[in-house]
Amino acid sequence: MSNPSPSPGSCRFADYFVLAGIDTDSGLEPDELSGENFDQSPLRRTFKSKVLAHYPQNVEYNPFDQDAVNMLCMPKGLSFKTQAENRDPQFHAFLITREDGSRTYGFVLTFYEEVTCRQICSAMQTLYQMHNVEQCSSVYASSSCSMDSLASSIDEGDSSSQVKMQRYNSYDIGRDTLYVSKCICLITPLPFVQACRKFLQQLHKAVSSQQTPPLPLESYIHNILYEVPLPPPGRSLKFSGVYGPIICQRPGPTELPLFDFPLREVFELLGVENLVQLFTCVLLEMQILLYSQDYQRLMTVAEGITALLFPFQWQHVYVPILPASLLHFLDAPVPYLMGLQSKEPNDRSKLELAQEANLCFVDIDNHFIDLPEDFPQFPNKLEFIQEISEVLLQFGIPPEGNLHCSESAAELQNLVLDELVHDKKNGNLTSTTINMYELLKGNETLARLQALAKRTGVSVEKMEIAAPLEKERDTRCQCSEEELRDYKLAVQLREVFAKRFTQMFADYEAFVIQPAQDMESWLTNREQMQNFDKASFLSDQPEPYLPFLSHFIETQMFATFIDNKIVSLWEEKDPLLRVFDSRIEKMKIYNVRVPTIRTSNYQKCTILKEAAQAIEQRLVKIDHTAIHPHLLDMKIGQGKYEQGFFPKLQADVLATGPTNNNRWANRGATAQRRKDRLRQHSEHLALDNDLKEKYMQEARSLGKSLRQPKLSDLSPAVIAQTNWKFVEGLLKECRIKTKRMLVEKMGHEAVELGHGEANITGLEENTLIASLCDLLERIWSHGLLIKQGKSALWSHLVHYQECEEKREAILDIPVGIGPERRKSESGLILPSLKVSLIHDMRHVQQMSEIKTDVGRARAWIRLSLEKKVLSQQLKQLMFNQSLIKKLYKRYAFLRCEEEKEQFLYHLLSLNAVDYFCFTSVFTTIMIPYRAVIIPIKKLSNSITTSNPWISVSGELGGTGVMQVPKNLLEMTFECQNLGKLTTVQIGHDNSGLLAKWLVDCVMVRNEITGHTYRFPCGRWLGKGVDDGSLERILVGEVITPVVEEDLSKQCRTPPQLRSPTVARRLSITSLGGKAGKPNAGQIQEGIGESINNIVKHFHKPEKERGSLTILLCGEYGLVSALEQVFHHGFKSVRLFQKNVFIWDFLEKAVTYFETAEEEESQVNLLEGKRCAETSRSLCQYVNAINTAPRNIGKDGKLQLLVCLGARDHLLHQWIPLLAECPVISRMYEDGALLRDRATVNTLIRVLQTLHDFNITLETSLVKGIDV
C-alpha cells in the first residue's frame, strides 16, 4: 500500500468529525447486506446505521464518502444491548484507499446510549414476541430425540447460567432498559492513532461524566478540525483535549515512515514465529485473511504487517476491516489482505472459503495461523527470529506471544511491567547482565530456536536486559511511560526488519536495467520491457537466499519498487525509496565495501538505540503547540446536553474554520505552490497527466484498481462489473505468465528474437511453474459453489473423475485407457501411450509421498505440463458443461466462454518447449518403465540364442543389471525415479548357436510422463564379429513424441513450431556425417566445440548442469571428436581379413613403451623422468582396461580410456607421447593429424582447458575399472 502521507493541500490534523448511529425517524431497519440470520434473537441481529452528522460538509481535497464512512464506522450496523450486558466503549480504526492509492484514515469510538424513542422500544418488543413464537413452533416440530437431548442439556446446565442467558437473549419493555450503539469518528489524512484515541475518549468522557467540561464540545471539535495543524516531518505537536494535553510526533524525512499503531500488540497476539511466517506470506503476495472478534485487532495486525514491508508496499486488495456486505470479496481470485470479524470465539469451521490453496489464515484471538503448503522460508529465519526476540525481551515481552491473548484488547493494554517481573516465562527482568541461555530455560520456543542456531554456528552473546529505563526516563517527557515504551519498541522492531532488506538488496541498483528512451515511451512499452536483470541478481546471491528471492522478485511489490526506481530518473523519488537508498549509501560508506559476491552471514541492526532516541527527543521537547480551544460565537443556551447522551452539535459554528490567524495553513499553501511551480518546470510533465496515469495503472498490478472495494455502490451491476474485472485480470495474468515462461525457456532462440536473457535456471523455472499453479488455483476458485478440500482445482478433477467412473460403470468401458497401438509383426515399436486425464489422476493418487489435495493438484499440473497436454486436459475439464454449471456460479471465469478459449490458447503455447518439472521434483516416487530392443533385420541376426541383459541409468540413479526374457525384445520394469535417462548398458553371455546380435537401438519410455529415450547402437554384440564386444554402453537423448491425430483435431491452432533439441544445437554439420569423411578443419572444429560444451556445462550452477555423459560420450561429444582425430590418416586395412582398430594402435604403443623403459636409451627417447611417468600412466590405464572383468570391445575400451583421461586430466600428456611414438609411422599416413606437430600442439592447448574442472564419471561408465 502507499506510504502514509497527507493528501495534496492537506495541512489540518483532521478533515472531518462524524457522528453515526440510529435514525429515529426511519426506526428499525434490518441490515440485509450484513447477511445476518433471522433465526437469531433480535438483540443479536444487526440493523441499519446512518451518518447522523459530519463537519464540515465537504473538504475539497478529500470528498466525504457517506456510505463508505457509515459502513466502516459500524461494519455490522447498529447493535442493541440491555442493562444486563457489558457496554464499555470500543475503539477501532479504519482506512479508505482512493483510486490513486492514497489513504484516508478513520478513528472510531463506539459507545451505547439509552433508547428514549418509545416506538423503537415497542418495535424491539414486537420482534421478540415474534421470535419466541417461531422458536416454540420449531421446538415442537423437532423430533422427540432432539427434545430429549435438549432437555438433558438443560438439566446439565447450571440454573444461574440459564437465567443469565435468558436475560442476555430477551427483552421486556417493562423490565429492561434498551441501549443502542452510537459512534463518534475523526477522519484524518495521517494515522495518528494514539492522539485520536485520546481525543475521542476524552470527548466521550465529557458526555458520560457528571462534571461538565470547561468548554462546550463544539469548541474542542472546532479546534481539532480547524486550529490544530499536522506536525511537520521530524517534529512533535501538542494540542488540547477536553481534559488534558495530547501529544503526537512525526518522523523526519530520513526515518522510517509514520506508524502509530501498537506494534507490541501485534507481537503479543501472534508471537514471533507466527508473525515471521505471516510476514513471509505477505512478501510472496499470497491471500491473507485475518480473523478476530475485535475490529481494532484486525486493523492493528494488518497495518503492522504492511508497515514491516519497508521499503516495499502491498499492491493488491487491502481491506483490513471487511464489512459484512462485502463478504463476496473473499472469493476474489487475486492476492488480498483482508480482515474479517468472527461472530463467535471458535467459528472458523463455519467459514466457507472458495480459495484455500494459497491462503494464509490468521486466527488472531486464538494465536493460530494456518499456512499455505510448500512456500520458501525467509532467509536467515532462525537468526532473524533470534534478533527480534532479543529486542522484545529487552522490553519484557515474551517472544512466543502474550499468554492472555484471548482477553479483551483493553485488558491487554493494562498488562504492566510489574506483572511481567514476577513471571519468568515472560522474561523475568533483572538489572544485571545475564546470559541469553538463562532466559531460554523457561522459554520453549526460544530454546528450540537456540538449539538450531547453535548447530548452525550462530553465537549468542550476553546482553543487557533491564526493566525499561524508569530511572533514566526524562521527567520532562510529555507522554506516559507505557506510550514511550511502545514507541521505542515499535521503531526498534521496524529497524530490525528494515535491516534485512538493506542487507539483501544492498546492490539492487546495479541490476536495474536503465531505459534508453524518455518517460512517455517507457510507460507506453512498460509491459514488454525487462526492468531488472533477475538472472544476474540471483547468481550474485548466497545459496540459502535463492528459494525465497527467486519467488520474491516475481511479485508485484518488487516490480513496483523497481518501477519507482526507474521513474525517479524523471520525477522526484518516492519517499520510501529515498529513505531506503540513503540507508544503502550509508551502509556502504560504513562498510567500505564494493559490490561483490554476497555472503549469507547475518548482520544485526546497529542503529536501534539511535532510532529510539530520535523519537524520545521529540516527545521530551515539544516543537509546536496548537491554539487552545476557546469559546465560539454560539447563541445563549446552545452547547448544553444531557448526561449520557451525545448532543446534537451546532452545525453553523462547525461548518467553517477561522478566516484569519491561520499562518500555518498559509505556510503550507505557499510551500505547496512552490513545489507545484518546480514540478511544472520539469520536462517530464510534457506528458499529459491523464495519459500518464493510464499508463502507470496498466503497468502495475492487475488487482490494483480493486485495492479497496467501492463501498458507496453495492448494486448487482457494480458487483457484476467487479467480477468482470477479476475475469479480465486473470486472463491478462495468464497471458503474461505463459509468455514469460516461453521467453525464459526458449534460450538462444529467445535472444535471437530479441526477448532478453539466454538461459533459465532450474530455480527460476520452478518459481515460474509454482506461480502458474497458483494462478490455476485462483482461476478454479473464482465463483466456486461446491468444493471438497482446500484445492478448488483438485476438487473439480475429483468431481470429473466420479462422473467418468459412473459412465464407465454404465457403459462397461474402461475409463482413461484407450486401445494400444498394435505391434508390428516383429514387435519392434513401443505401443502408443494414451493421453488420458483420468489415467494421470490415478498416477497422482497413487503417489503416497503427496498427502494433501493442494499437493495433488500441483503434481497433476506438473505432470500435464511435462507431457504437453495441460491445455488439452483442462479443455476436457472445462467443457463438461453440466458439471461446470453444478460447481460454479454464473459469473465464474470457467463459465465465460470466450475467455476460456483465450486461456486455453495461452496454455497451448507452452507445448513449444520441453519441461521436466514433474520428473525433477518428485524424485523418490516409483515409476514404471518400458524398454524395447530394436535389432537390425539382417538375415537371422534380429534374434539371439544368448541370454541378453540391460541396465538403465539416469541422473538420479540406475536399475542395475536386468535380464531380458528370452525370445522377447520388450520388457517392463518399475523402479525409483531415475530422472532424465542418460545411458543404457546392453549385453549378453555369448551362449547358444546364434550368439551374434546386431542391435540398431534401445528405446526406453517413462510410462507416467511418456518421455521416450532412444539409445542408438548400430553395432554387433558377439565374439569374433565387429570389435568383439559382448556389452556396449549406449548414450541417448529424449526424442520428440509423435502427436496423435485425435490430439491435433481437438486443437484449433496449427501445429506448433518445435524448438531444436539440444543435440541439434550442439551439432557440427558434417562431423560424422554420411556424406563423406570429415576433413582436418572440420575435425579440429569438432574438438573445439566438444571442449567448449564441457566448459559451458561447468559454468552453469551445479543444479542446472544436466548430464555430462552426453557431452563426453554422445554423438558429438569429446570421445567422438577424439576418435575422428585418431581415425584421420589411420591405415585401417584388413590384415588377413581382420579389422584393425585404434585400440590396436594403443596396445602396440604400450608394448613399445614397456619395452623401451627397460632399455638404456629410454631417457633420450622419452626426454626425461616426466615423460617416463606419462608413459607409465598410459600403460597402467590401458592394461587396467584390458584386464577389467568386462566384455567390452575395442571401441568401447577407447571410449573408456578417453573418459578416464579426461577425469584425471591426462589426455593432454598422452597425445604428444603417442604422436612421438615410432609405432605411429607404421600405422598412420604422413598427412595424418597426429603426425602434424602444429595440430598436436593446438590439440594439447585445447585439452588443457579441462584442467579447471572436476569431472565425475557415471558409475555405468567405469564399472569394474580400478585406476
Side-chain angles (χ1 to χ4, degrees):
M1 297 305 297
S2 62
N3 175 36
S5 57
S7 304
S10 173
C11 50
R12 292 167 19 190
F13 181 89
D15 291 335
Y16 294 99
F17 178 83
V18 183
L19 184 66
I22 190 168
D23 183 2
T24 53
D25 295 334
S26 57
L28 286 182
E29 289 185 81
D31 191 356
E32 297 172 0
L33 289 174
S34 68
E36 286 293 332
N37 190 337
F38 283 94
D39 290 340
Q40 291 182 316
S41 63
L43 282 179
R44 297 289 169 264
R45 298 175 192 171
T46 57
F47 300 89
K48 283 185 180 178
S49 61
K50 185 179 179 182
V51 172
L52 304 176
H54 68 277
Y55 312 99
Q57 284 302 305
N58 198 46
V59 175
E60 184 181 352
Y61 54 80
N62 184 13
F64 188 76
D65 188 339
Q66 183 159 312
D67 291 330
V69 171
N70 178 47
M71 196 174 288
L72 291 167
C73 280
M74 293 186 160
K76 295 188 72 175
L78 293 171
S79 174
F80 286 88
K81 292 189 177 184
T82 66
Q83 77 284 350
E85 297 178 86
N86 176 30
R87 303 185 308 280
D88 291 338
Q90 295 292 323
F91 174 84
H92 80 269
F94 67 82
L95 65 85
I96 298 174
T97 308
R98 303 187 191 91
E99 290 183 1
D100 63 355
S102 60
R103 291 176 168 188
T104 296
Y105 294 85
F107 302 97
V108 184
L109 187 72
T110 304
F111 52 94
Y112 285 84
E113 282 186 353
E114 183 180 341
V115 178
T116 56
C117 178
R118 188 73 184 175
Q119 289 86 347
I120 292 176
C121 292
S122 300
M124 183 61 72
Q125 175 82 26
T126 304
L127 285 173
Y128 256 102
Q129 290 171 351
M130 296 169 60
H131 176 71
N132 291 335
V133 170
E134 290 173 4
Q135 289 294 103
C136 289
S137 62
S138 64
V139 168
Y140 283 120
S142 61
S143 65
S144 59
C145 174
S146 62
M147 284 294 291
D148 292 341
S149 64
L150 179 63
S152 64
S153 64
I154 291 173
D155 291 340
E156 291 170 7
D158 180 72
S159 60
S160 63
S161 65
Q162 291 177 38
V163 173
K164 195 173 182 181
M165 288 302 294
Q166 286 173 2
R167 289 182 63 194
Y168 276 165
N169 292 307
S170 65
Y171 171 68
D172 186 327
I173 196 170
R175 183 192 67 205
D176 296 317
T177 304
L178 189 64
Y179 293 86
V180 66
S181 58
K182 181 179 274 190
C183 73
I184 50 178
C185 169
L186 281 176
I187 306 290
T188 66
L190 287 178
F192 292 111
V193 185
Q194 305 307 327
C196 291
R197 182 202 292 264
K198 287 182 182 178
F199 180 83
L200 293 174
Q201 286 174 340
Q202 290 187 28
L203 205 61
H204 176 257
K205 182 181 176 183
V207 174
S208 58
S209 173
Q210 294 180 353
Q211 181 183 358
T212 57
L215 294 170
L217 297 185
E218 285 88 346
S219 294
Y220 300 101
I221 295 168
H222 181 277
N223 178 251
I224 200 170
L225 286 177
Y226 302 112
E227 296 173 334
V228 178
L230 283 173
R235 304 288 177 150
S236 53
L237 171 74
K238 178 166 72 173
F239 64 93
S240 299
V242 181
Y243 294 108
I246 297 172
I247 310 297
C248 63
Q249 60 87 31
R250 190 171 168 189
T254 60
E255 298 177 62
L256 294 176
L258 173 65
F259 178 75
D260 206 38
F261 289 85
L263 199 55
R264 164 189 56 80
E265 191 174 332
V266 180
F267 281 86
E268 285 179 335
L269 289 168
L270 297 179
V272 179
E273 283 194 83
N274 282 344
L275 190 133
V276 170
Q277 294 287 63
L278 171 60
F279 177 66
T280 308
C281 291
V282 173
L283 284 170
L284 299 177
E285 295 185 340
M286 298 177 177
Q287 292 179 321
I288 313 295
L289 182 60
L290 308 176
Y291 201 56
S292 173
Q293 287 185 285
D294 189 327
Y295 291 129
Q296 183 59 11
R297 284 184 177 180
L298 294 173
M299 190 71 186
T300 301
V301 172
E303 284 290 280
I305 205 72
T306 51
L308 296 175
L309 296 177
F310 170 87
F312 306 102
Q313 302 170 65
W314 180 257
Q315 297 294 317
H316 300 278
V317 177
Y318 182 69
V319 192
I321 298 174
L322 185 68
S325 55
L326 291 180
L327 286 181
H328 62 276
F329 261 81
L330 290 175
D331 292 343
V334 294
Y336 60 68
L337 201 166
M338 298 197 212
L340 184 63
Q341 191 204 29
S342 55
K343 300 171 187 175
E344 301 169 11
N346 296 298
D347 65 342
R348 162 73 172 98
S349 57
K350 300 175 185 176
L351 191 62
E352 294 183 3
L353 300 169
Q355 163 69 298
E356 291 184 89
N358 208 35
L359 177 73
C360 176
F361 181 83
V362 185
D363 189 342
I364 298 171
D365 299 336
N366 293 311
H367 199 81
F368 169 74
I369 181 169
D370 188 7
L371 295 165
E373 295 179 22
D374 191 28
F375 67 96
Q377 296 299 306
F378 192 75
N380 296 118
K381 179 184 167 187
L382 292 177
E383 296 94 329
F384 185 39
I385 289 176
Q386 178 78 25
E387 185 179 9
I388 298 168
S389 301
E390 290 173 6
V391 174
L392 290 170
L393 285 166
Q394 286 181 341
F395 287 83
I397 295 170
E400 68 269 24
N402 200 299
L403 301 177
H404 308 288
C405 63
S406 60
E407 299 177 8
S408 69
E411 289 171 333
L412 276 172
Q413 291 166 5
N414 291 330
L415 286 172
V416 293
L417 184 64
D418 294 339
E419 296 172 355
L420 298 171
V421 168
H422 302 293
D423 183 358
K424 289 183 179 178
K425 273 196 172 183
N426 284 344
N428 188 6
L429 307 177
T430 69
S431 58
T432 58
T433 302
I434 60 174
N435 192 294
M436 195 67 180
Y437 289 98
E438 297 302 317
L439 281 173
L440 300 181
K441 288 180 181 177
N443 188 314
E444 294 179 7
T445 304
L446 276 177
R448 189 171 68 256
L449 290 169
Q450 188 69 25
L452 288 168
K454 188 176 180 181
R455 287 202 297 273
T456 56
V458 179
S459 62
V460 179
E461 301 171 356
K462 291 185 178 182
M463 67 178 198
E464 287 283 341
I465 298 186
L469 312 179
E470 189 158 349
K471 293 179 181 177
E472 299 175 11
R473 183 194 164 197
D474 196 315
T475 54
R476 297 174 297 164
C477 188
Q478 303 290 319
C479 64
S480 70
E481 171 68 27
E482 187 178 359
E483 280 184 89
L484 177 61
R485 200 165 65 93
D486 280 355
Y487 277 128
K488 293 167 74 172
L489 171 62
V491 75
Q492 291 193 13
L493 288 170
R494 293 173 68 201
E495 289 289 356
V496 170
F497 279 78
K499 174 66 177 180
R500 303 288 6 98
F501 291 122
T502 309
Q503 184 184 359
M504 278 193 284
F505 294 97
D507 297 324
Y508 85 95
E509 195 170 353
F511 303 98
V512 176
I513 302 172
Q514 302 293 347
Q517 64 271 58
D518 59 16
M519 186 176 182
E520 181 176 359
S521 303
W522 180 80
L523 288 171
T524 307
N525 301 300
R526 167 66 189 87
E527 193 176 296
Q528 285 77 35
M529 301 186 65
Q530 292 282 343
N531 289 339
F532 192 72
D533 187 353
K534 295 176 181 177
S536 299
F537 173 76
L538 290 175
S539 68
D540 194 38
Q541 303 308 307
E543 181 79 18
Y545 288 14
L546 294 180
F548 171 80
L549 286 177
S550 62
H551 284 76
F552 179 67
I553 62 175
E554 298 293 336
T555 61
Q556 187 59 42
M557 73 173 73
F558 184 78
T560 303
F561 174 76
I562 298 300
D563 284 353
N564 288 340
K565 180 66 177 177
I566 293 174
V567 170
S568 69
L569 293 171
W570 303 289
E571 283 190 348
E572 185 180 349
K573 261 190 184 181
D574 174 79
L576 293 183
L577 182 64
R578 185 178 63 246
V579 176
F580 187 65
D581 283 351
S582 68
R583 287 170 174 241
I584 289 176
E585 288 301 317
K586 190 181 294 185
M587 185 183 75
K588 288 182 177 179
I589 291 170
Y590 287 161
N591 294 352
V592 198
R593 66 181 288 273
V594 293
T596 56
I597 296 297
R598 310 288 304 285
T599 68
S600 57
N601 293 336
Y602 190 83
Q603 298 177 17
K604 285 189 177 182
C605 184
T606 57
I607 60 169
L608 298 182
K609 192 174 181 181
E610 293 87 336
Q613 284 175 346
I615 288 183
E616 187 171 12
Q617 286 170 4
R618 282 196 291 273
L619 294 174
V620 167
K621 183 181 179 182
I622 303 300
D623 299 299
H624 302 282
T625 302
I627 298 171
H628 198 277
H630 51 85
L631 281 172
L632 302 173
D633 186 13
M634 297 172 65
K635 297 176 183 177
I636 297 173
Q638 289 186 333
K640 294 184 179 180
Y641 56 87
E642 184 180 351
Q643 182 187 345
F645 295 89
F646 201 90
K648 184 176 181 180
L649 301 171
Q650 187 174 341
D652 55 346
V653 298
L654 295 177
T656 57
T659 54
N660 55 9
N661 195 25
N662 205 0
R663 289 171 295 176
W664 51 268
N666 292 333
R667 283 201 303 271
T670 304
Q672 185 64 35
R673 284 196 296 272
R674 189 184 306 118
K675 189 174 179 181
D676 288 342
R677 282 199 300 273
L678 288 171
R679 185 168 294 220
Q680 286 167 4
H681 283 296
S682 61
E683 292 181 4
H684 72 268
L685 274 189
L687 176 64
D688 178 74
N689 283 331
D690 293 337
L691 185 64
K692 173 187 164 186
E693 183 61 28
K694 176 188 172 187
Y695 288 145
M696 288 299 287
Q697 288 297 326
E698 290 182 356
R700 292 183 179 164
S701 115
L702 301 168
K704 193 166 180 179
S705 61
L706 298 167
R707 283 177 175 182
Q708 174 86 16
K710 193 166 179 59
L711 306 180
S712 55
D713 187 355
L714 292 171
S715 63
V718 170
I719 293 174
Q721 185 182 10
T722 302
N723 278 301
W724 184 246
K725 285 183 179 178
F726 283 143
V727 170
E728 287 182 325
L730 289 168
L731 187 60
K732 183 178 180 183
E733 192 177 349
C734 179
R735 175 173 59 81
I736 292 171
K737 286 189 187 299
T738 51
K739 179 181 177 183
R740 171 82 195 281
M741 291 173 72
L742 275 173
V743 167
E744 293 286 6
K745 186 72 174 172
M746 284 176 127
H748 294 285
E749 293 170 301
V751 174
E752 291 166 9
L753 294 171
H755 289 300
E757 292 301 319
N759 63 336
I760 175 171
T761 65
L763 189 69
E764 288 175 285
E765 178 180 309
N766 206 39
T767 301
L768 293 174
I769 291 170
S771 178
L772 177 67
C773 293
D774 169 45
L775 173 63
L776 293 181
E777 281 289 358
R778 286 191 279 119
I779 287 174
W780 256 257
S781 69
H782 184 232
L784 185 61
L785 278 171
I786 302 171
K787 186 183 72 165
Q788 301 170 351
K790 285 190 174 183
S791 169
L793 175 57
W794 189 253
S795 172
H796 192 173
L797 285 165
V798 169
H799 278 105
Y800 179 83
Q801 184 182 27
E802 290 171 355
C803 291
E804 291 297 300
E805 286 175 346
K806 285 178 184 176
R807 190 171 67 87
E808 171 191 5
I810 294 170
L811 301 177
D812 196 25
I813 299 172
V815 172
I817 305 176
E820 291 187 343
R821 186 185 301 166
R822 187 173 63 86
K823 299 177 187 177
S824 63
E825 291 178 3
S826 58
L828 302 183
I829 63 169
L830 282 166
S832 64
L833 194 63
K834 180 69 177 178
V835 176
S836 162
L837 188 156
I838 302 297
H839 199 52
D840 288 347
M841 278 190 69
R842 288 173 178 165
H843 280 308
V844 172
Q845 287 165 332
Q846 290 167 5
M847 292 167 62
S848 59
E849 294 83 358
I850 303 176
K851 310 294 183 187
T852 64
D853 288 347
V854 174
R856 293 184 187 97
R858 296 193 173 194
W860 181 84
I861 292 168
R862 287 176 174 274
L863 177 57
S864 301
L865 192 58
E866 186 165 325
K867 294 178 73 172
K868 299 181 187 289
V869 294
L870 182 61
S871 177
Q872 177 198 351
Q873 294 195 345
L874 288 180
K875 182 174 183 178
Q876 192 177 342
L877 194 66
M878 294 167 79
F879 284 86
N880 185 327
Q881 298 293 354
S882 59
L883 185 58
I884 290 284
K885 288 178 181 177
K886 176 185 172 184
L887 298 179
Y888 288 90
K889 299 171 186 173
R890 181 63 194 89
Y891 62 77
F893 183 96
L894 296 186
R895 295 187 67 177
C896 300
E897 298 303 318
E898 187 177 338
E899 284 68 27
K900 282 199 299 188
E901 288 284 355
Q902 294 180 53
F903 165 73
L904 291 170
Y905 171 77
H906 293 314
L907 289 182
L908 186 65
S909 66
L910 296 176
N911 288 4
V913 291
D914 299 321
Y915 283 103
F916 285 85
C917 51
F918 180 87
T919 304
S920 60
V921 169
F922 301 103
T923 56
T924 60
I925 64 172
M926 298 300 290
I927 290 184
Y929 293 89
R930 185 185 296 264
V932 174
I933 301 168
I934 302 177
I936 295 176
K937 300 172 188 175
K938 186 177 180 183
L939 300 176
S940 61
N941 299 117
S942 61
I943 60 170
T944 178
T945 56
S946 304
N947 298 302
W949 57 266
I950 63 168
S951 174
V952 182
S953 298
E955 292 178 354
L956 301 178
T959 62
V961 172
M962 299 181 294
Q963 294 296 327
V964 180
K966 269 196 174 184
N967 302 320
L968 287 178
L969 299 174
E970 181 178 338
M971 67 179 293
T972 57
F973 58 93
E974 187 176 72
C975 64
Q976 187 170 305
N977 186 0
L978 299 174
K980 293 181 186 177
L981 303 187
T982 52
T983 62
V984 162
Q985 287 177 265
I986 183 171
H988 62 75
D989 61 359
N990 203 43
S991 62
L993 294 174
L994 299 173
K996 299 172 184 177
W997 198 18
L998 186 57
V999 177
D1000 180 37
C1001 66
V1002 177
M1003 306 281 282
V1004 183
R1005 183 174 68 200
N1006 181 320
E1007 293 291 277
I1008 292 181
T1009 66
H1011 281 307
T1012 305
Y1013 298 81
R1014 184 176 186 274
F1015 298 87
C1017 178
R1019 303 286 294 270
W1020 286 90
L1021 289 169
K1023 290 291 185 184
V1025 64
D1026 204 334
D1027 63 347
S1029 178
L1030 290 182
E1031 63 177 88
R1032 295 194 185 276
I1033 299 172
L1034 312 180
V1035 180
E1037 287 183 338
V1038 65
I1039 61 172
T1040 304
V1042 178
V1043 180
E1044 295 184 31
E1045 291 180 4
D1046 61 337
L1047 201 150
S1048 58
K1049 285 178 185 176
Q1050 292 181 13
C1051 172
R1052 296 184 181 182
T1053 56
Q1056 70 274 14
L1057 296 174
R1058 296 195 56 79
S1059 308
T1061 63
V1062 175
R1064 273 183 56 196
R1065 291 198 191 111
L1066 302 179
S1067 67
I1068 303 135
T1069 16
S1070 57
L1071 182 59
K1074 296 180 180 179
K1077 290 184 179 181
N1079 58 40
Q1082 290 170 332
I1083 292 173
Q1084 288 175 299
E1085 185 183 344
I1087 283 284
E1089 194 164 346
S1090 65
I1091 295 289
N1092 192 34
N1093 288 331
I1094 295 173
V1095 172
K1096 285 192 283 187
H1097 168 89
F1098 282 102
H1099 277 94
K1100 293 178 183 177
E1102 189 172 349
K1103 294 179 181 177
E1104 322 302 336
R1105 290 177 181 173
S1107 172
L1108 182 61
T1109 304
I1110 292 174
L1111 300 181
L1112 290 172
C1113 307
E1115 189 177 357
Y1116 305 108
L1118 179 63
V1119 172
S1120 175
L1122 280 175
E1123 280 181 350
Q1124 297 289 351
V1125 172
F1126 278 104
H1127 275 293
H1128 188 264
F1130 185 60
K1131 299 176 182 178
S1132 56
V1133 293
R1134 296 184 175 219
L1135 298 176
F1136 307 106
Q1137 300 300 312
K1138 185 179 179 182
N1139 282 331
V1140 180
F1141 295 89
I1142 302 297
W1143 191 254
D1144 295 321
F1145 162 66
L1146 291 171
E1147 286 181 328
K1148 290 181 183 297
V1150 165
T1151 303
Y1152 171 77
F1153 291 134
E1154 288 175 341
T1155 306
E1157 195 170 352
E1158 300 172 2
E1159 298 177 0
E1160 296 179 0
S1161 60
Q1162 62 174 319
V1163 176
N1164 295 329
L1165 178 65
L1166 298 177
E1167 298 179 3
K1169 185 178 179 182
R1170 187 175 175 184
C1171 289
E1173 290 176 356
T1174 303
S1175 66
R1176 278 196 291 271
S1177 70
L1178 177 62
C1179 297
Q1180 178 191 357
Y1181 277 70
V1182 170
N1183 291 331
I1185 292 170
N1186 275 330
T1187 57
R1190 293 177 64 177
N1191 295 309
I1192 51 177
K1194 294 180 178 178
D1195 284 346
K1197 292 177 179 178
L1198 175 62
Q1199 175 179 285
L1200 255 178
L1201 183 67
V1202 172
C1203 289
L1204 292 169
R1207 182 193 70 181
D1208 299 334
H1209 307 130
L1210 294 170
L1211 287 177
H1212 73 286
Q1213 298 176 13
W1214 291 345
I1215 294 293
L1217 190 71
L1218 293 169
E1220 295 294 330
C1221 176
V1223 178
I1224 198 167
S1225 60
R1226 299 198 301 270
M1227 303 190 71
Y1228 280 86
E1229 298 170 357
D1230 292 340
L1233 287 175
L1234 282 178
R1235 299 188 68 176
D1236 179 61
R1237 184 176 293 274
T1239 303
V1240 170
N1241 289 336
T1242 303
L1243 183 58
I1244 293 167
R1245 285 196 301 272
V1246 171
L1247 291 172
Q1248 282 175 334
T1249 59
L1250 298 179
H1251 276 196
D1252 300 331
F1253 310 116
N1254 182 23
I1255 294 175
T1256 303
L1257 301 178
E1258 274 191 33
T1259 309
S1260 59
L1261 289 176
V1262 294
K1263 186 174 66 175
I1265 309 296
D1266 184 21
V1267 285

